[in-house]
Amino acid sequence: DQQVKQNSPSLSVQEGRISILNCDYTNSMFDYFLWYKKYPAEGPTFLISISSIKDKNEDGRFTVFLNKSAKHLSLHIVPSQPGDSAVYFCAASEGGGGSEKLVFGKGTKLTVNP
Amino acid sequence: EPEVTQTPSHQVTQMGQEVILRCVPISNHLYFYWYRQILGQKVEFLVSFYNNEISEKSEIFDDQFSVERPDGSNFTLKIRSTKLEDSAMYFCASSWRQRNYGYTFGSGTRLTVV
């Protein structure tokens, strides 16, 4: 059951450059999407979210883009900093259908090199 | 910043034994969740809890699992008869309103069943 897919297990970028993390989904009932960041030995930390009625949401250095027709979302981090090095999880929900659960992707490990 | 606290951080148990994983959600939060992550796999939803009852559960959450909010501060996950495949990181999360999916996760309890 791969309703949410993060096809790149890892990504390495230079400090100051843009990091782009990608996520694809198959369930057309998903109407809310989130990105979480996770450091080792910690729980996931909420980063940014987007509703399906929008195609972009921005919060400081983080921007999430949603392309519903392609069932694709991406997280842009500009500029990338070494402290951004973590595992990033994409997650989705059928909130409109009354579901409470989040469906997660497998994660992408981002390394930002100084 | 308010935190979700989970204890213990690591628990080792014999197969067939009962375990109770404990969580203290953020004090004004009303919605509570358990997720788990088997090593190398996705974070998976187990159960959501609101108003002293289960609001949603996954297929993983079978009769061996139960949740309880025994007092005003704790939220527990009990596994009655642990199996080897229950070995995973278990994350508790809480949220102050329904479908505010930026919920706060705890640091997790690593359960090892031997």
Side-chain angles (χ1 to χ4, degrees), chain A residues 100-102, chain B residues 4 23 25 30-35 45-49 55-56 67 75 91-101 103-105:
Chain A
E100 290 284 338
K101 74 176 184 185
L102 292 181
Chain B
V4 173
C23 171
L30 302 175
Y31 299 86
F32 312 110
Y33 310 88
W34 284 100
Y35 283 76
F45 170 79
L46 292 178
V47 66
S48 59
F49 190 87
S55 46
E56 188 175 357
V67 288
F75 180 51
F91 294 105
C92 173
S94 69
S95 177
W96 66 275
R97 68 176 173 92
Q98 193 178 27
R99 302 199 184 98
N100 174 10
Y101 294 114
Y103 33 75
T104 304
F105 282 88

PDB file of all heavy atoms in Angstrom, chain A residues 100-102, chain B residues 4 23 25 30-35 45-49 55-56 67 75 91-101 103-105:
ATOM      1  N   GLU A 100      -9.209  10.743  10.470  1.00  0.00           N
ATOM      2  CA  GLU A 100      -8.247  11.432  11.308  1.00  0.00           C
ATOM      3  C   GLU A 100      -6.806  11.062  10.971  1.00  0.00           C
ATOM      4  O   GLU A 100      -5.884  11.724  11.386  1.00  0.00           O
ATOM      5  CB  GLU A 100      -8.499  11.065  12.785  1.00  0.00           C
ATOM      6  CG  GLU A 100      -9.766  11.627  13.369  1.00  0.00           C
ATOM      7  CD  GLU A 100      -9.643  13.097  13.684  1.00  0.00           C
ATOM      8  OE1 GLU A 100      -8.520  13.597  13.843  1.00  0.00           O
ATOM      9  OE2 GLU A 100     -10.688  13.765  13.759  1.00  0.00           O
ATOM     10  N   LYS A 101      -6.631   9.972  10.243  1.00  0.00           N
ATOM     11  CA  LYS A 101      -5.272   9.455  10.143  1.00  0.00           C
ATOM     12  C   LYS A 101      -4.471  10.160   9.073  1.00  0.00           C
ATOM     13  O   LYS A 101      -4.993  10.677   8.086  1.00  0.00           O
ATOM     14  CB  LYS A 101      -5.303   7.955   9.841  1.00  0.00           C
ATOM     15  CG  LYS A 101      -5.682   7.592   8.439  1.00  0.00           C
ATOM     16  CD  LYS A 101      -5.585   6.092   8.227  1.00  0.00           C
ATOM     17  CE  LYS A 101      -5.873   5.733   6.784  1.00  0.00           C
ATOM     18  NZ  LYS A 101      -5.907   4.269   6.594  1.00  0.00           N
ATOM     19  N   LEU A 102      -3.162  10.175   9.310  1.00  0.00           N
ATOM     20  CA  LEU A 102      -2.197  10.622   8.325  1.00  0.00           C
ATOM     21  C   LEU A 102      -1.565   9.405   7.685  1.00  0.00           C
ATOM     22  O   LEU A 102      -1.249   8.436   8.369  1.00  0.00           O
ATOM     23  CB  LEU A 102      -1.098  11.465   8.974  1.00  0.00           C
ATOM     24  CG  LEU A 102      -1.481  12.831   9.530  1.00  0.00           C
ATOM     25  CD1 LEU A 102      -0.252  13.517  10.100  1.00  0.00           C
ATOM     26  CD2 LEU A 102      -2.132  13.679   8.469  1.00  0.00           C
TER      27      LEU A 102
ATOM     28  N   VAL B   4       5.094  16.750  24.023  1.00  0.00           N
ATOM     29  CA  VAL B   4       4.460  15.471  24.314  1.00  0.00           C
ATOM     30  C   VAL B   4       5.565  14.574  24.874  1.00  0.00           C
ATOM     31  O   VAL B   4       6.612  14.415  24.240  1.00  0.00           O
ATOM     32  CB  VAL B   4       3.861  14.853  23.036  1.00  0.00           C
ATOM     33  CG1 VAL B   4       3.348  13.454  23.313  1.00  0.00           C
ATOM     34  CG2 VAL B   4       2.745  15.747  22.492  1.00  0.00           C
ATOM     35  N   CYS B  23       2.253   8.038  27.640  1.00  0.00           N
ATOM     36  CA  CYS B  23       2.375   9.328  26.959  1.00  0.00           C
ATOM     37  C   CYS B  23       1.689  10.378  27.813  1.00  0.00           C
ATOM     38  O   CYS B  23       0.622  10.126  28.386  1.00  0.00           O
ATOM     39  CB  CYS B  23       1.713   9.220  25.579  1.00  0.00           C
ATOM     40  SG  CYS B  23       1.519  10.765  24.680  1.00  0.00           S
ATOM     41  N   PRO B  25       0.270  13.884  26.871  1.00  0.00           N
ATOM     42  CA  PRO B  25       0.047  14.852  25.800  1.00  0.00           C
ATOM     43  C   PRO B  25       0.153  16.285  26.317  1.00  0.00           C
ATOM     44  O   PRO B  25       0.218  16.522  27.522  1.00  0.00           O
ATOM     45  CB  PRO B  25      -1.391  14.545  25.347  1.00  0.00           C
ATOM     46  CG  PRO B  25      -1.725  13.210  25.920  1.00  0.00           C
ATOM     47  CD  PRO B  25      -0.920  13.094  27.178  1.00  0.00           C
ATOM     48  N   LEU B  30      -6.903  17.970  22.925  1.00  0.00           N
ATOM     49  CA  LEU B  30      -8.088  17.132  23.097  1.00  0.00           C
ATOM     50  C   LEU B  30      -8.066  15.868  22.255  1.00  0.00           C
ATOM     51  O   LEU B  30      -8.845  14.949  22.493  1.00  0.00           O
ATOM     52  CB  LEU B  30      -9.342  17.930  22.721  1.00  0.00           C
ATOM     53  CG  LEU B  30      -9.576  19.220  23.518  1.00  0.00           C
ATOM     54  CD1 LEU B  30     -10.783  19.954  22.953  1.00  0.00           C
ATOM     55  CD2 LEU B  30      -9.785  18.912  24.998  1.00  0.00           C
ATOM     56  N   TYR B  31      -7.182  15.838  21.242  1.00  0.00           N
ATOM     57  CA  TYR B  31      -7.152  14.737  20.298  1.00  0.00           C
ATOM     58  C   TYR B  31      -5.808  14.030  20.439  1.00  0.00           C
ATOM     59  O   TYR B  31      -4.763  14.676  20.464  1.00  0.00           O
ATOM     60  CB  TYR B  31      -7.333  15.231  18.857  1.00  0.00           C
ATOM     61  CG  TYR B  31      -8.649  15.931  18.651  1.00  0.00           C
ATOM     62  CD1 TYR B  31      -8.785  17.291  18.916  1.00  0.00           C
ATOM     63  CD2 TYR B  31      -9.774  15.226  18.227  1.00  0.00           C
ATOM     64  CE1 TYR B  31      -9.999  17.929  18.761  1.00  0.00           C
ATOM     65  CE2 TYR B  31     -10.995  15.861  18.067  1.00  0.00           C
ATOM     66  CZ  TYR B  31     -11.100  17.202  18.339  1.00  0.00           C
ATOM     67  OH  TYR B  31     -12.304  17.833  18.194  1.00  0.00           O
ATOM     68  N   PHE B  32      -5.856  12.719  20.511  1.00  0.00           N
ATOM     69  CA  PHE B  32      -4.661  11.948  20.820  1.00  0.00           C
ATOM     70  C   PHE B  32      -4.499  10.807  19.827  1.00  0.00           C
ATOM     71  O   PHE B  32      -5.503  10.254  19.341  1.00  0.00           O
ATOM     72  CB  PHE B  32      -4.749  11.404  22.255  1.00  0.00           C
ATOM     73  CG  PHE B  32      -5.157  12.442  23.257  1.00  0.00           C
ATOM     74  CD1 PHE B  32      -6.402  12.397  23.855  1.00  0.00           C
ATOM     75  CD2 PHE B  32      -4.306  13.489  23.572  1.00  0.00           C
ATOM     76  CE1 PHE B  32      -6.797  13.373  24.760  1.00  0.00           C
ATOM     77  CE2 PHE B  32      -4.688  14.472  24.471  1.00  0.00           C
ATOM     78  CZ  PHE B  32      -5.939  14.412  25.067  1.00  0.00           C
ATOM     79  N   TYR B  33      -3.241  10.488  19.545  1.00  0.00           N
ATOM     80  CA  TYR B  33      -2.953   9.526  18.488  1.00  0.00           C
ATOM     81  C   TYR B  33      -1.769   8.643  18.885  1.00  0.00           C
ATOM     82  O   TYR B  33      -0.882   9.069  19.618  1.00  0.00           O
ATOM     83  CB  TYR B  33      -2.567  10.255  17.189  1.00  0.00           C
ATOM     84  CG  TYR B  33      -3.544  11.344  16.781  1.00  0.00           C
ATOM     85  CD1 TYR B  33      -3.398  12.641  17.252  1.00  0.00           C
ATOM     86  CD2 TYR B  33      -4.609  11.070  15.928  1.00  0.00           C
ATOM     87  CE1 TYR B  33      -4.286  13.641  16.900  1.00  0.00           C
ATOM     88  CE2 TYR B  33      -5.507  12.067  15.566  1.00  0.00           C
ATOM     89  CZ  TYR B  33      -5.337  13.345  16.054  1.00  0.00           C
ATOM     90  OH  TYR B  33      -6.226  14.338  15.708  1.00  0.00           O
ATOM     91  N   TRP B  34      -1.772   7.429  18.331  1.00  0.00           N
ATOM     92  CA  TRP B  34      -0.592   6.572  18.360  1.00  0.00           C
ATOM     93  C   TRP B  34      -0.240   6.190  16.926  1.00  0.00           C
ATOM     94  O   TRP B  34      -1.122   5.829  16.127  1.00  0.00           O
ATOM     95  CB  TRP B  34      -0.814   5.303  19.179  1.00  0.00           C
ATOM     96  CG  TRP B  34      -0.772   5.516  20.654  1.00  0.00           C
ATOM     97  CD1 TRP B  34      -1.833   5.640  21.500  1.00  0.00           C
ATOM     98  CD2 TRP B  34       0.392   5.621  21.480  1.00  0.00           C
ATOM     99  NE1 TRP B  34      -1.413   5.825  22.786  1.00  0.00           N
ATOM    100  CE2 TRP B  34      -0.042   5.819  22.811  1.00  0.00           C
ATOM    101  CE3 TRP B  34       1.773   5.567  21.234  1.00  0.00           C
ATOM    102  CZ2 TRP B  34       0.843   5.959  23.877  1.00  0.00           C
ATOM    103  CZ3 TRP B  34       2.651   5.704  22.285  1.00  0.00           C
ATOM    104  CH2 TRP B  34       2.191   5.899  23.593  1.00  0.00           C
ATOM    105  N   TYR B  35       1.045   6.301  16.622  1.00  0.00           N
ATOM    106  CA  TYR B  35       1.606   5.856  15.359  1.00  0.00           C
ATOM    107  C   TYR B  35       2.770   4.934  15.690  1.00  0.00           C
ATOM    108  O   TYR B  35       3.311   4.975  16.799  1.00  0.00           O
ATOM    109  CB  TYR B  35       2.131   7.042  14.540  1.00  0.00           C
ATOM    110  CG  TYR B  35       1.070   7.857  13.839  1.00  0.00           C
ATOM    111  CD1 TYR B  35       0.278   8.746  14.557  1.00  0.00           C
ATOM    112  CD2 TYR B  35       0.860   7.736  12.469  1.00  0.00           C
ATOM    113  CE1 TYR B  35      -0.702   9.490  13.915  1.00  0.00           C
ATOM    114  CE2 TYR B  35      -0.116   8.476  11.819  1.00  0.00           C
ATOM    115  CZ  TYR B  35      -0.892   9.351  12.548  1.00  0.00           C
ATOM    116  OH  TYR B  35      -1.868  10.094  11.913  1.00  0.00           O
ATOM    117  N   PHE B  45      -0.229   4.892  11.010  1.00  0.00           N
ATOM    118  CA  PHE B  45      -1.282   5.251  11.954  1.00  0.00           C
ATOM    119  C   PHE B  45      -1.802   4.004  12.675  1.00  0.00           C
ATOM    120  O   PHE B  45      -2.017   2.960  12.056  1.00  0.00           O
ATOM    121  CB  PHE B  45      -2.425   5.917  11.181  1.00  0.00           C
ATOM    122  CG  PHE B  45      -3.678   6.143  11.974  1.00  0.00           C
ATOM    123  CD1 PHE B  45      -3.787   7.207  12.853  1.00  0.00           C
ATOM    124  CD2 PHE B  45      -4.769   5.304  11.817  1.00  0.00           C
ATOM    125  CE1 PHE B  45      -4.949   7.428  13.558  1.00  0.00           C
ATOM    126  CE2 PHE B  45      -5.943   5.518  12.516  1.00  0.00           C
ATOM    127  CZ  PHE B  45      -6.031   6.585  13.394  1.00  0.00           C
ATOM    128  N   LEU B  46      -1.976   4.126  13.972  1.00  0.00           N
ATOM    129  CA  LEU B  46      -2.594   3.049  14.741  1.00  0.00           C
ATOM    130  C   LEU B  46      -4.011   3.428  15.171  1.00  0.00           C
ATOM    131  O   LEU B  46      -4.971   2.716  14.887  1.00  0.00           O
ATOM    132  CB  LEU B  46      -1.771   2.736  15.991  1.00  0.00           C
ATOM    133  CG  LEU B  46      -0.400   2.108  15.774  1.00  0.00           C
ATOM    134  CD1 LEU B  46       0.300   1.901  17.113  1.00  0.00           C
ATOM    135  CD2 LEU B  46      -0.525   0.783  15.043  1.00  0.00           C
ATOM    136  N   VAL B  47      -4.137   4.561  15.881  1.00  0.00           N
ATOM    137  CA  VAL B  47      -5.425   4.873  16.498  1.00  0.00           C
ATOM    138  C   VAL B  47      -5.512   6.359  16.815  1.00  0.00           C
ATOM    139  O   VAL B  47      -4.502   7.016  17.052  1.00  0.00           O
ATOM    140  CB  VAL B  47      -5.584   4.026  17.785  1.00  0.00           C
ATOM    141  CG1 VAL B  47      -4.565   4.435  18.839  1.00  0.00           C
ATOM    142  CG2 VAL B  47      -6.991   4.061  18.341  1.00  0.00           C
ATOM    143  N   SER B  48      -6.734   6.876  16.776  1.00  0.00           N
ATOM    144  CA  SER B  48      -6.998   8.230  17.261  1.00  0.00           C
ATOM    145  C   SER B  48      -8.042   8.151  18.370  1.00  0.00           C
ATOM    146  O   SER B  48      -8.878   7.232  18.387  1.00  0.00           O
ATOM    147  CB  SER B  48      -7.468   9.153  16.136  1.00  0.00           C
ATOM    148  OG  SER B  48      -8.648   8.658  15.542  1.00  0.00           O
ATOM    149  N   PHE B  49      -8.002   9.116  19.265  1.00  0.00           N
ATOM    150  CA  PHE B  49      -8.788   9.049  20.509  1.00  0.00           C
ATOM    151  C   PHE B  49      -9.266  10.429  20.849  1.00  0.00           C
ATOM    152  O   PHE B  49      -8.473  11.379  20.877  1.00  0.00           O
ATOM    153  CB  PHE B  49      -7.863   8.501  21.611  1.00  0.00           C
ATOM    154  CG  PHE B  49      -8.536   8.126  22.894  1.00  0.00           C
ATOM    155  CD1 PHE B  49      -9.078   6.864  23.064  1.00  0.00           C
ATOM    156  CD2 PHE B  49      -8.580   9.012  23.959  1.00  0.00           C
ATOM    157  CE1 PHE B  49      -9.668   6.498  24.268  1.00  0.00           C
ATOM    158  CE2 PHE B  49      -9.168   8.657  25.164  1.00  0.00           C
ATOM    159  CZ  PHE B  49      -9.706   7.391  25.324  1.00  0.00           C
ATOM    160  N   SER B  55     -11.752   7.175  18.036  1.00  0.00           N
ATOM    161  CA  SER B  55     -12.488   7.773  16.932  1.00  0.00           C
ATOM    162  C   SER B  55     -12.156   7.097  15.603  1.00  0.00           C
ATOM    163  O   SER B  55     -12.984   7.099  14.686  1.00  0.00           O
ATOM    164  CB  SER B  55     -12.237   9.282  16.846  1.00  0.00           C
ATOM    165  OG  SER B  55     -10.867   9.576  16.966  1.00  0.00           O
ATOM    166  N   GLU B  56     -10.978   6.534  15.516  1.00  0.00           N
ATOM    167  CA  GLU B  56     -10.587   5.815  14.303  1.00  0.00           C
ATOM    168  C   GLU B  56      -9.440   4.877  14.638  1.00  0.00           C
ATOM    169  O   GLU B  56      -8.616   5.191  15.489  1.00  0.00           O
ATOM    170  CB  GLU B  56     -10.143   6.812  13.216  1.00  0.00           C
ATOM    171  CG  GLU B  56      -9.888   6.201  11.855  1.00  0.00           C
ATOM    172  CD  GLU B  56      -9.571   7.244  10.792  1.00  0.00           C
ATOM    173  OE1 GLU B  56      -9.602   8.445  11.101  1.00  0.00           O
ATOM    174  OE2 GLU B  56      -9.298   6.849   9.639  1.00  0.00           O
ATOM    175  N   VAL B  67      -6.193   1.355  24.075  1.00  0.00           N
ATOM    176  CA  VAL B  67      -5.727   2.664  24.535  1.00  0.00           C
ATOM    177  C   VAL B  67      -6.623   3.114  25.667  1.00  0.00           C
ATOM    178  O   VAL B  67      -7.785   2.723  25.769  1.00  0.00           O
ATOM    179  CB  VAL B  67      -5.721   3.731  23.414  1.00  0.00           C
ATOM    180  CG1 VAL B  67      -4.616   3.474  22.415  1.00  0.00           C
ATOM    181  CG2 VAL B  67      -7.072   3.814  22.727  1.00  0.00           C
ATOM    182  N   PHE B  75      -1.970   9.167  28.544  1.00  0.00           N
ATOM    183  CA  PHE B  75      -2.610   8.454  27.439  1.00  0.00           C
ATOM    184  C   PHE B  75      -1.748   7.239  27.182  1.00  0.00           C
ATOM    185  O   PHE B  75      -0.550   7.371  26.912  1.00  0.00           O
ATOM    186  CB  PHE B  75      -2.681   9.379  26.219  1.00  0.00           C
ATOM    187  CG  PHE B  75      -3.307   8.781  24.994  1.00  0.00           C
ATOM    188  CD1 PHE B  75      -4.532   8.151  25.049  1.00  0.00           C
ATOM    189  CD2 PHE B  75      -2.673   8.876  23.767  1.00  0.00           C
ATOM    190  CE1 PHE B  75      -5.119   7.608  23.916  1.00  0.00           C
ATOM    191  CE2 PHE B  75      -3.245   8.342  22.622  1.00  0.00           C
ATOM    192  CZ  PHE B  75      -4.464   7.706  22.697  1.00  0.00           C
ATOM    193  N   PHE B  91       5.085   6.201  18.436  1.00  0.00           N
ATOM    194  CA  PHE B  91       4.985   7.639  18.655  1.00  0.00           C
ATOM    195  C   PHE B  91       3.569   7.998  19.110  1.00  0.00           C
ATOM    196  O   PHE B  91       2.586   7.598  18.502  1.00  0.00           O
ATOM    197  CB  PHE B  91       5.277   8.413  17.368  1.00  0.00           C
ATOM    198  CG  PHE B  91       6.687   8.290  16.873  1.00  0.00           C
ATOM    199  CD1 PHE B  91       6.990   7.495  15.781  1.00  0.00           C
ATOM    200  CD2 PHE B  91       7.712   8.982  17.496  1.00  0.00           C
ATOM    201  CE1 PHE B  91       8.290   7.389  15.316  1.00  0.00           C
ATOM    202  CE2 PHE B  91       9.024   8.884  17.043  1.00  0.00           C
ATOM    203  CZ  PHE B  91       9.313   8.077  15.950  1.00  0.00           C
ATOM    204  N   CYS B  92       3.519   8.781  20.150  1.00  0.00           N
ATOM    205  CA  CYS B  92       2.275   9.384  20.603  1.00  0.00           C
ATOM    206  C   CYS B  92       2.215  10.798  20.028  1.00  0.00           C
ATOM    207  O   CYS B  92       3.255  11.449  19.843  1.00  0.00           O
ATOM    208  CB  CYS B  92       2.289   9.434  22.131  1.00  0.00           C
ATOM    209  SG  CYS B  92       0.926  10.318  22.890  1.00  0.00           S
ATOM    210  N   ALA B  93       1.016  11.284  19.745  1.00  0.00           N
ATOM    211  CA  ALA B  93       0.860  12.657  19.259  1.00  0.00           C
ATOM    212  C   ALA B  93      -0.427  13.232  19.830  1.00  0.00           C
ATOM    213  O   ALA B  93      -1.354  12.503  20.193  1.00  0.00           O
ATOM    214  CB  ALA B  93       0.825  12.693  17.738  1.00  0.00           C
ATOM    215  N   SER B  94      -0.466  14.548  19.887  1.00  0.00           N
ATOM    216  CA  SER B  94      -1.688  15.203  20.350  1.00  0.00           C
ATOM    217  C   SER B  94      -1.936  16.474  19.549  1.00  0.00           C
ATOM    218  O   SER B  94      -1.013  17.038  18.946  1.00  0.00           O
ATOM    219  CB  SER B  94      -1.632  15.507  21.851  1.00  0.00           C
ATOM    220  OG  SER B  94      -0.687  16.519  22.149  1.00  0.00           O
ATOM    221  N   SER B  95      -3.198  16.914  19.564  1.00  0.00           N
ATOM    222  CA  SER B  95      -3.592  18.088  18.808  1.00  0.00           C
ATOM    223  C   SER B  95      -4.711  18.799  19.560  1.00  0.00           C
ATOM    224  O   SER B  95      -5.487  18.158  20.263  1.00  0.00           O
ATOM    225  CB  SER B  95      -4.074  17.674  17.421  1.00  0.00           C
ATOM    226  OG  SER B  95      -4.536  18.775  16.689  1.00  0.00           O
ATOM    227  N   TRP B  96      -4.800  20.110  19.380  1.00  0.00           N
ATOM    228  CA  TRP B  96      -5.809  20.834  20.146  1.00  0.00           C
ATOM    229  C   TRP B  96      -7.137  20.903  19.443  1.00  0.00           C
ATOM    230  O   TRP B  96      -8.158  21.191  20.069  1.00  0.00           O
ATOM    231  CB  TRP B  96      -5.314  22.235  20.511  1.00  0.00           C
ATOM    232  CG  TRP B  96      -5.114  23.156  19.341  1.00  0.00           C
ATOM    233  CD1 TRP B  96      -4.014  23.256  18.559  1.00  0.00           C
ATOM    234  CD2 TRP B  96      -6.039  24.118  18.838  1.00  0.00           C
ATOM    235  NE1 TRP B  96      -4.206  24.206  17.592  1.00  0.00           N
ATOM    236  CE2 TRP B  96      -5.434  24.756  17.745  1.00  0.00           C
ATOM    237  CE3 TRP B  96      -7.335  24.499  19.208  1.00  0.00           C
ATOM    238  CZ2 TRP B  96      -6.066  25.752  17.012  1.00  0.00           C
ATOM    239  CZ3 TRP B  96      -7.968  25.503  18.482  1.00  0.00           C
ATOM    240  CH2 TRP B  96      -7.331  26.112  17.390  1.00  0.00           C
ATOM    241  N   ARG B  97      -7.153  20.668  18.125  1.00  0.00           N
ATOM    242  CA  ARG B  97      -8.451  20.630  17.482  1.00  0.00           C
ATOM    243  C   ARG B  97      -8.464  19.597  16.366  1.00  0.00           C
ATOM    244  O   ARG B  97      -7.439  19.222  15.850  1.00  0.00           O
ATOM    245  CB  ARG B  97      -8.858  21.999  16.948  1.00  0.00           C
ATOM    246  CG  ARG B  97      -8.040  22.530  15.790  1.00  0.00           C
ATOM    247  CD  ARG B  97      -8.620  23.841  15.298  1.00  0.00           C
ATOM    248  NE  ARG B  97      -7.771  24.477  14.294  1.00  0.00           N
ATOM    249  CZ  ARG B  97      -7.893  24.298  12.989  1.00  0.00           C
ATOM    250  NH1 ARG B  97      -8.805  23.481  12.528  1.00  0.00           N
ATOM    251  NH2 ARG B  97      -7.090  24.932  12.149  1.00  0.00           N
ATOM    252  N   GLN B  98      -9.670  19.173  16.064  1.00  0.00           N
ATOM    253  CA  GLN B  98      -9.830  18.138  15.056  1.00  0.00           C
ATOM    254  C   GLN B  98      -9.339  18.633  13.711  1.00  0.00           C
ATOM    255  O   GLN B  98      -9.569  19.751  13.315  1.00  0.00           O
ATOM    256  CB  GLN B  98     -11.303  17.758  14.948  1.00  0.00           C
ATOM    257  CG  GLN B  98     -11.550  16.488  14.166  1.00  0.00           C
ATOM    258  CD  GLN B  98     -13.012  16.132  14.138  1.00  0.00           C
ATOM    259  OE1 GLN B  98     -13.862  17.012  14.246  1.00  0.00           O
ATOM    260  NE2 GLN B  98     -13.308  14.866  14.007  1.00  0.00           N
ATOM    261  N   ARG B  99      -8.622  17.757  13.074  1.00  0.00           N
ATOM    262  CA  ARG B  99      -8.112  18.000  11.723  1.00  0.00           C
ATOM    263  C   ARG B  99      -7.106  19.157  11.675  1.00  0.00           C
ATOM    264  O   ARG B  99      -6.818  19.674  10.632  1.00  0.00           O
ATOM    265  CB  ARG B  99      -9.225  18.191  10.704  1.00  0.00           C
ATOM    266  CG  ARG B  99     -10.134  16.994  10.672  1.00  0.00           C
ATOM    267  CD  ARG B  99     -10.974  16.840   9.451  1.00  0.00           C
ATOM    268  NE  ARG B  99     -11.853  15.711   9.624  1.00  0.00           N
ATOM    269  CZ  ARG B  99     -13.116  15.790  10.011  1.00  0.00           C
ATOM    270  NH1 ARG B  99     -13.661  16.955  10.245  1.00  0.00           N
ATOM    271  NH2 ARG B  99     -13.841  14.708  10.168  1.00  0.00           N
ATOM    272  N   ASN B 100      -6.587  19.547  12.840  1.00  0.00           N
ATOM    273  CA  ASN B 100      -5.383  20.372  12.815  1.00  0.00           C
ATOM    274  C   ASN B 100      -4.232  19.391  12.747  1.00  0.00           C
ATOM    275  O   ASN B 100      -3.695  18.955  13.746  1.00  0.00           O
ATOM    276  CB  ASN B 100      -5.295  21.225  14.070  1.00  0.00           C
ATOM    277  CG  ASN B 100      -3.979  21.974  14.111  1.00  0.00           C
ATOM    278  OD1 ASN B 100      -3.242  22.000  13.142  1.00  0.00           O
ATOM    279  ND2 ASN B 100      -3.686  22.576  15.236  1.00  0.00           N
ATOM    280  N   TYR B 101      -3.862  19.022  11.568  1.00  0.00           N
ATOM    281  CA  TYR B 101      -2.965  17.890  11.433  1.00  0.00           C
ATOM    282  C   TYR B 101      -1.532  18.203  11.759  1.00  0.00           C
ATOM    283  O   TYR B 101      -0.698  17.321  11.749  1.00  0.00           O
ATOM    284  CB  TYR B 101      -3.067  17.318  10.025  1.00  0.00           C
ATOM    285  CG  TYR B 101      -4.415  16.722   9.760  1.00  0.00           C
ATOM    286  CD1 TYR B 101      -5.264  17.271   8.836  1.00  0.00           C
ATOM    287  CD2 TYR B 101      -4.838  15.626  10.458  1.00  0.00           C
ATOM    288  CE1 TYR B 101      -6.504  16.717   8.597  1.00  0.00           C
ATOM    289  CE2 TYR B 101      -6.074  15.064  10.229  1.00  0.00           C
ATOM    290  CZ  TYR B 101      -6.897  15.613   9.298  1.00  0.00           C
ATOM    291  OH  TYR B 101      -8.121  15.073   9.066  1.00  0.00           O
ATOM    292  N   TYR B 103      -0.039  18.088  14.192  1.00  0.00           N
ATOM    293  CA  TYR B 103      -0.005  17.721  15.593  1.00  0.00           C
ATOM    294  C   TYR B 103       1.406  17.495  16.085  1.00  0.00           C
ATOM    295  O   TYR B 103       2.344  17.351  15.310  1.00  0.00           O
ATOM    296  CB  TYR B 103      -0.936  16.590  15.979  1.00  0.00           C
ATOM    297  CG  TYR B 103      -1.247  15.466  15.039  1.00  0.00           C
ATOM    298  CD1 TYR B 103      -0.341  14.464  14.782  1.00  0.00           C
ATOM    299  CD2 TYR B 103      -2.522  15.359  14.491  1.00  0.00           C
ATOM    300  CE1 TYR B 103      -0.674  13.390  13.990  1.00  0.00           C
ATOM    301  CE2 TYR B 103      -2.870  14.278  13.698  1.00  0.00           C
ATOM    302  CZ  TYR B 103      -1.943  13.295  13.456  1.00  0.00           C
ATOM    303  OH  TYR B 103      -2.293  12.228  12.676  1.00  0.00           O
ATOM    304  N   THR B 104       1.521  17.485  17.392  1.00  0.00           N
ATOM    305  CA  THR B 104       2.824  17.406  18.045  1.00  0.00           C
ATOM    306  C   THR B 104       3.096  15.961  18.429  1.00  0.00           C
ATOM    307  O   THR B 104       2.295  15.338  19.127  1.00  0.00           O
ATOM    308  CB  THR B 104       2.839  18.279  19.307  1.00  0.00           C
ATOM    309  OG1 THR B 104       2.485  19.616  18.952  1.00  0.00           O
ATOM    310  CG2 THR B 104       4.231  18.287  19.930  1.00  0.00           C
ATOM    311  N   PHE B 105       4.222  15.464  17.953  1.00  0.00           N
ATOM    312  CA  PHE B 105       4.637  14.100  18.286  1.00  0.00           C
ATOM    313  C   PHE B 105       5.582  14.090  19.473  1.00  0.00           C
ATOM    314  O   PHE B 105       6.361  15.033  19.675  1.00  0.00           O
ATOM    315  CB  PHE B 105       5.374  13.467  17.099  1.00  0.00           C
ATOM    316  CG  PHE B 105       4.488  12.978  15.997  1.00  0.00           C
ATOM    317  CD1 PHE B 105       4.100  13.831  14.979  1.00  0.00           C
ATOM    318  CD2 PHE B 105       4.055  11.660  15.969  1.00  0.00           C
ATOM    319  CE1 PHE B 105       3.290  13.378  13.947  1.00  0.00           C
ATOM    320  CE2 PHE B 105       3.245  11.198  14.941  1.00  0.00           C
ATOM    321  CZ  PHE B 105       2.862  12.061  13.927  1.00  0.00           C
TER     322      PHE B 105
END
